[in-house]
Amino acid sequence: MNLGFLGLQFSFGLQQSNMGPIYSYLGADEGAMPLLWLAGPMTGLIIQPLIGSMSDRTRTRLGRRTPYFLIGAVLCSLCLLAMPYSRTLWMAASLLWVLDAANNVTMEPYRAYVSDRLDESQRPLGFLTQSAFTGLAQTLSYLAPSLLVWWGVSKDLIDANGIPAITRISFVIGAVLSITTILWSVWRVPELPLTPEEDAAMAADPLTLRSTLTGLRDAVRDMPPAMRQLALAMLFQWFGMFCYWQYVVLALARGVFGTSDPTSAGFRNAGLLNGQLGAFYNLIACLSAFAMIPLARRFGPKAVHAAAMVASGAAMLTIASTGSIPMLVIAMVGIGVGWGSLMGNPYLMLANAIPAERTGVYMGIFNMFIVIPMMVEILFVWLAYRPLLGGDPRHVLMLGGAMMLAAAAATALVRTSREPSAVAPA
């Protein structure tokens, strides 16, 4: 079931590690960089809640969630094939809009699918295993360009737009993985059939635009208190992660290689270094997600997540203040622990607080707690990059680190309805 998540997260990993450099190769200004990342938050804000609500009510021979997996995977693969051949900045930004829309069509129904198949005692294993597959997929996506270099492809082989061949090949690999892993998951792990009662209820209230919007409105009105309390923690942690993804290559280029010139060999080396460090932190995320399963059962996902956010915040502050590669490697442990927790524990807290029949819509609404902070970050950094942050990408990473520490404090304030001991061991 989680194999399909591997292909989807490989796509996200390619975006995280390569979109900043691609924009730089095509002539983007550092201060305007956040605006070019607007696609993900905007499409997520609109698409995921609607798709989540629709997938709760969809009745097809393939099931409720599966049609969305398939549509999203096909669109995602096509965009991944086209992205590294972008000739202009507007073309790359436009493709990112479609790519993010496709990923969002797939993402929340897939998370709801996991919750559909697992009872409460199994969810720590299910969501944190999903987080582990996220780490594994993004390890491979971050490392792909470096692997190609180690296998003999020149890192300095570039096209007329300055985009390296290793980037183009990595995106082709991502396109193949995106479609094949989803198809394999659909074939090998079909959806559970609806009970007669569930089917009758859906037949009595069929899927329409009105029912979708009404279901979305009612879900917002009836949102569980624990979910509302998570909003503040989500604001800080996703603000911080977006700071990291947007500016880490630029920060490494300055801090390690002493350059801000996208056409220089040092800048390309910074991109490769980011891929290697990113692969390491995603490997740590994969391993730490498994380690968090017994910890989440014993201490609760809230305590585990708060500690992970502290580790991630300290790591970002370290990255911003050092040019030492060994120190950067150590910092990646903190980033990896934070990322492994972020992709599992908040969803575990959410799944245990929402009614099962509304899983899709609440997973979609929960995504609003991700994309709205991203939009806030985009606007703030765009306006503050030069006047408040000194035009230095390392200062953006310091801001991100402070936000992750604030996320830890906000997570500690969440009041969940169940004590850790109430989650029975598997």
Side-chain angles (χ1 to χ4, degrees):
M1 179 166 62
N2 276 312
L3 183 62
F5 210 67
L6 187 146
L8 182 63
Q9 290 299 329
F10 193 98
S11 169
F12 273 114
L14 287 174
Q15 291 174 237
Q16 292 166 12
S17 60
N18 289 285
M19 286 314 302
I22 287 175
Y23 285 150
S24 294
Y25 298 141
L26 296 173
D29 176 73
E30 284 186 5
M33 192 75 74
L35 295 178
L36 296 170
W37 288 73
L38 191 60
M42 285 296 295
T43 56
L45 181 66
I46 297 169
I47 290 175
Q48 285 203 20
L50 290 176
I51 293 296
S53 180
M54 291 170 63
S55 74
D56 282 340
R57 296 168 173 268
T58 297
R59 298 169 73 216
T60 72
R61 293 174 60 187
L62 295 175
R64 288 187 293 174
R65 321 292 186 188
T66 301
Y68 302 100
F69 308 160
L70 298 176
I71 293 169
V74 170
L75 288 175
C76 178
S77 295
L78 293 174
C79 290
L80 288 172
L81 287 172
M83 179 66 76
Y85 293 93
S86 299
R87 296 184 176 182
T88 61
L89 198 56
W90 71 262
M91 181 177 178
S94 299
L95 281 170
L96 185 61
W97 278 82
V98 182
L99 176 60
D100 269 310
N103 281 331
N104 283 316
V105 166
T106 306
M107 180 64 76
E108 292 318 310
Y110 210 91
R111 286 198 175 108
Y113 183 38
V114 174
S115 189
D116 290 342
R117 296 189 65 94
L118 303 177
D119 60 34
E120 185 177 329
S121 67
Q122 297 171 314
R123 284 175 184 162
L125 179 62
F127 280 102
L128 289 168
T129 300
Q130 190 177 83
S131 179
F133 269 77
T134 297
L136 175 60
Q138 295 192 3
T139 296
L140 297 174
S141 64
Y142 271 81
L143 199 56
S146 292
L147 289 174
L148 292 169
V149 171
W150 297 335
W151 292 337
V153 182
S154 173
K155 69 177 186 298
D156 296 319
L157 180 61
I158 60 177
D159 63 15
N161 301 307
I163 298 176
I166 55 176
T167 301
R168 296 199 303 271
I169 297 170
S170 298
F171 273 75
V172 171
I173 294 170
V176 173
L177 281 176
S178 179
I179 188 67
T180 55
T181 56
I182 289 290
L183 289 175
W184 176 264
S185 291
V186 169
W187 177 48
R188 297 295 296 174
V189 190
E191 290 190 58
L192 296 175
L194 296 172
T195 65
E197 294 77 14
E198 290 172 332
D199 191 63
M202 291 173 67
D205 188 14
L207 176 65
T208 64
L209 177 60
R210 182 175 181 178
S211 67
T212 298
L213 295 176
T214 300
L216 186 57
R217 180 203 65 195
D218 292 346
V220 172
R221 182 194 61 203
D222 301 334
M223 191 182 301
M227 185 175 175
R228 294 181 187 273
Q229 293 165 14
L230 275 168
L232 184 61
M234 296 287 281
L235 169 65
F236 292 130
Q237 67 197 27
W238 285 102
F239 188 113
M241 287 307 302
F242 228 41
C243 287
Y244 178 84
W245 290 328
Q246 288 171 0
Y247 282 95
V248 64
V249 173
L250 299 176
L252 292 174
R254 293 200 188 187
V256 179
F257 298 99
T259 182
S260 59
D261 180 5
T263 65
S264 67
F267 193 91
R268 290 192 292 275
N269 287 333
L272 284 173
L273 176 61
N274 178 58
Q276 294 157 16
L277 293 172
F280 180 63
Y281 92 63
N282 278 289
L283 178 61
I284 294 296
C286 176
L287 298 175
S288 66
F290 286 116
M292 288 178 197
I293 294 170
L295 294 175
R297 286 190 177 129
R298 181 171 181 179
F299 301 107
K302 181 180 77 170
V304 174
H305 188 59
M309 292 300 96
V310 171
S312 186
M316 288 188 194
L317 295 174
T318 300
I319 296 166
S321 59
T322 185
S324 164
I325 291 180
M327 285 299 298
L328 291 170
V329 172
I330 294 172
M332 288 303 116
V333 175
I335 298 291
V337 169
W339 183 232
S341 179
L342 199 150
M343 292 301 293
N345 282 311
Y347 294 96
L348 176 55
M349 287 187 274
L350 173 67
N352 289 340
I354 59 178
E357 69 275 8
R358 294 172 119 180
T359 297
V361 66
Y362 276 123
M363 287 289 180
I365 292 171
F366 198 57
N367 187 66
M368 295 170 67
F369 296 171
I370 298 174
V371 298
I372 290 175
M374 289 179 175
M375 294 171 69
V376 172
E377 185 272 350
I378 284 170
L379 180 60
F380 179 83
V381 175
W382 174 54
L383 294 174
Y385 185 69
R386 287 189 172 87
L388 296 179
L389 299 171
D392 191 328
R394 291 167 292 189
H395 295 164
V396 181
L397 262 63
M398 289 183 178
L399 174 64
M403 287 293 175
M404 300 306 277
L405 296 177
T411 299
L413 296 176
V414 175
R415 295 289 177 263
T416 56
S417 58
R418 296 174 175 87
E419 295 299 322
S421 60
V423 181

